[in-house]
Amino acid sequence: MDIADLRDRILKQDRRALARAITLVESARPDHRAQATALLDELSKAGKQSLRIGLSGTPGVGKSTFIESFGMMLTARGLRVAVLAVDPSSARSGGSILGDKTRMERLSRDRNAFIRPSPSQTHLGGVARRTREAVALCEAAGFDVVLIETVGVGQSETVVAEMSDLFLLLLAPAGGDELQGVKRGIMEMADVILVNKADGELKSTAMRTCADYSGALRLLRKRPQDPDGFPKAMTVSALEENGLSDAWGEMTTLTEWRKQEGHWAYRRAAQAQFWFHEEVRQGLLARLEQGDAPQLLSKLDAKVASGDMTPGQAAKEMLDRLS
Ligand SMILES: Nc1nc2c(ncn2[C@@H]2O[C@H](COP(=O)(O)OP(=O)(O)OP(=O)(O)O)[C@@H](O)[C@H]2O)c(=O)[nH]1
Ligand SMILES: [Mg+2]
């Protein structure tokens, strides 16, 4: 593959080149990995930045519907929008973004939108790297907004938050006692909580739920990256396309403030460091499966089990061999 050519085409916003490059970063083949790394390195020199928006919500809350209407609203304003997903398990059999491409019918036909299904994967670490690299490719291809969706299984919210500039939590209208069902850690990650389905019979419940979450957000510890009034809860209807431009207005206000105050750059730098450490960790773990490491491990395993070696001694010998 001609990496320089691929780079040039991506920088010229060629969608097919972008799709090919994403396939390249998804590949597990060592030669592909080397090419992907070289390509990403080249593209990072262009220094383009999108607004990366992470979006999480339980199955059925309306993520796909929201992405479709929100995405259409953004493209109508002349913005280019890419949609990616972190989908660490097969937990959402019916709800994969691949099936969603048909549900996001209007958006997937929009020339200013790019929707990429998540590769099916069991290993969150692998999905995280691929998605993060796909985000970087979309940025280089000049997308103004990159939406990263996750259904929030296990640690996937944290993964998405670590690659986003803004984190949205989509919630359903619910009785007050269900408020506790949202884990505190996830609430703490949110910049904007959107209570969806604020329409028809659900409207008044949605408004009550929104008030409950506004109250809950005020009780959280103040974060340095927030101006007054953030994080905030709002109601939307993805179906009736209500509240979407208000939500976008709040997102831009927050983003501009963060850029001005240096929080944006600081967070991007911290995220780069986080992923650097993560890659090192993953690389070290991979070494345990390479060369004669597995044999040595099982040899030492036997010695630990028989009491010939302490766990500490055995670990030291193993680590010495790996370095
Ligand atoms: N009344 C109402 N229904 C909505 C709204 N948004 C989504 N829905 C409905 O909720 C159901 C689930 O919507 P999806 O967009 O598929 O939800 P999802 O979060 O993508 O679900 P998964 O992909 O399974 O995780 C569908 O029947 C939608 O029509 C809304 O704003 N109002
Ligand atoms: Mg969906």
Side-chain angles (χ1 to χ4, degrees), residues 162-175:
E162 279 298 339
M163 55 178 87
S164 305
D165 303 309
L166 286 181
F167 191 73
L168 308 182
L169 183 60
L170 208 58
L171 297 172

Side-chain angles (χ1 to χ4, degrees), residues 3-4 6-8 10-11 21 24-25 32-48 132-140 279:
I3 293 302
L6 199 55
R7 173 202 61 203
D8 293 343
I10 290 170
L11 291 174
L24 185 68
V25 303
H32 286 168
R33 182 90 304 258
Q35 288 182 319
T37 308
L39 177 65
L40 288 161
D41 187 47
E42 285 281 320
L43 288 172
S44 74
K45 290 174 194 146
K48 293 196 202 165
R132 185 167 47 82
E133 292 180 344
V135 169
L137 292 171
C138 291
E139 290 199 308
E279 288 276 320

Side-chain angles (χ1 to χ4, degrees), residues 58-65 95 103 151 196-197 199 237-239:
T58 49
V61 71
K63 295 179 296 301
S64 305
T65 313
R103 260 188 277 179
V151 74
N196 191 31
K197 308 195 183 183
D199 50 49
S237 166
L239 202 62

Side-chain angles (χ1 to χ4, degrees), residues 168-191:
L168 308 182
L169 183 60
L170 208 58
L171 297 172
D177 47 330
E178 283 178 51
L179 196 140
Q180 278 96 38
V182 178
K183 282 181 238 115
R184 188 190 171 93
I186 294 161
M187 287 268 290
E188 284 171 342
M189 277 182 232
D191 294 308

Side-chain angles (χ1 to χ4, degrees), residues 57-67 69 92 94-97 100 103-104 149-151 170 196-200 202 236-241:
T58 49
V61 71
K63 295 179 296 301
S64 305
T65 313
F66 176 81
I67 290 170
S69 4
R92 25 183 295 184
S96 85
I97 203 171
D100 274 353
R103 260 188 277 179
M104 295 183 204
E149 184 206 338
T150 185
V151 74
L170 208 58
N196 191 31
K197 308 195 183 183
D199 50 49
L202 289 168
V236 291
S237 166
L239 202 62
E240 296 191 347
E241 305 182 13

